[in-house]
Amino acid sequence: MNSPARAPSGPAAPPGVSVLPDETHLRQVLGQYVTGVCAVSTRFETRTGTRHDAIAVNSFTSVSLDPPLVSMYLRDDSTFLRRVRASRQWAVSFLGNRARPLVGALTAPAVRRPPVEEAADWAVGPHTGCLLLPDAPGTLECDLHLTQALGDHVLVVGRVLGAVGRDHEPLVFHRGAFTGVAPAP
C-alpha cells in the first residue's frame, strides 16, 4: 500500500519539494493563484414575499460549454447554500475593480449582512429573477444543475440560462488581497 509523501526528518525540505501541508501553509500556497471575484445572488420566499440574498465568492469556474455549465463552492453550513437549493436558481456578477466596497457587505455573516437590495444598484435578471449588477464585466443566470458535498464545502453546478459580457476591468484576489488587472495595451 502506498502512503503519502512525508516531509523528511531533520533539515527542512529544499525549496520546490512537495510535502503534505498544514492548513496555514496550504492557504499560503493557494494564495499564489489569482482568482476572480463574483457576487452570487439568489432569491427566497418569506411570508411577506420574495427576498434576495447575495454573497461574494472567488471559487467560481466554467465547467462545460456544451451543455453550458458553471460552478462554485459554498460552505456546507451556509445559509446561502440552503437558499440556492430551495430556489434552484442563482445569478453571478463578475465584480469589476470599482466594486471593492460591495465585497465587504457580501462577505459579512448572514445575520449581519445589510439587506442585499440596499447594498448596490441591482437589476433583476430576466431568466431567474435573481439580482445582477448591470455594470459588471459579466453576468450569468443559472438553474441549479447539481450539488455534491466535498469536504467541508459543497460543489454547486449551474446550467447557464443567459449571459452578458462587458469590457470592464475585473477585480481579482491574489495573496489574500484584492487587486485589479492592468489594462490591455
Side-chain angles (χ1 to χ4, degrees):
M1 173 157 70
N2 293 335
S3 58
R6 297 271 179 218
S9 55
V17 173
S18 179
V19 296
L20 286 178
D22 63 19
E23 187 175 321
T24 302
H25 179 70
L26 183 58
R27 183 180 301 272
Q28 183 181 31
V29 170
L30 293 173
Q32 297 301 320
Y33 185 69
V34 177
T35 62
V37 185
C38 305
V40 179
S41 68
T42 194
R43 57 186 166 66
F44 61 100
E45 298 301 322
T46 68
R47 282 184 245 133
T48 60
T50 301
R51 295 280 317 274
H52 297 274
D53 194 7
I55 60 171
V57 301
N58 70 337
S59 62
F60 176 84
T61 191
S62 147
V63 174
S64 169
L65 295 176
D66 185 20
L69 301 174
V70 295
S71 71
M72 65 179 164
Y73 289 89
L74 301 174
R75 289 192 53 85
D76 60 3
D77 61 352
S78 163
T79 299
F80 188 80
L81 174 61
R82 283 196 324 272
R83 291 175 173 164
V84 167
R85 283 179 162 156
S87 75
R88 304 208 46 86
Q89 294 188 314
W90 48 286
V92 179
S93 296
F94 304 149
L95 295 183
N97 202 23
R98 295 182 309 227
R100 287 183 197 204
L102 178 59
V103 175
L106 298 182
T107 56
V111 295
R112 292 199 323 251
R113 271 197 301 267
V116 72
E117 296 89 346
E118 299 170 11
D121 291 327
W122 302 97
V124 176
H127 301 285
T128 62
C130 297
L131 299 178
L132 297 167
L133 294 169
D135 62 344
T139 58
L140 304 167
E141 292 183 82
C142 304
D143 271 340
L144 183 61
H145 182 70
L146 71 85
T147 60
Q148 174 66 51
L150 297 168
D152 61 358
H153 280 67
V154 173
L155 169 66
V156 178
V157 178
R159 184 178 183 97
V160 177
L161 303 174
V164 175
R166 298 170 194 88
D167 191 18
H168 298 309
E169 299 302 324
L171 179 64
V172 297
F173 194 68
H174 182 240
R175 294 183 180 165
F178 296 106
T179 187
V181 175

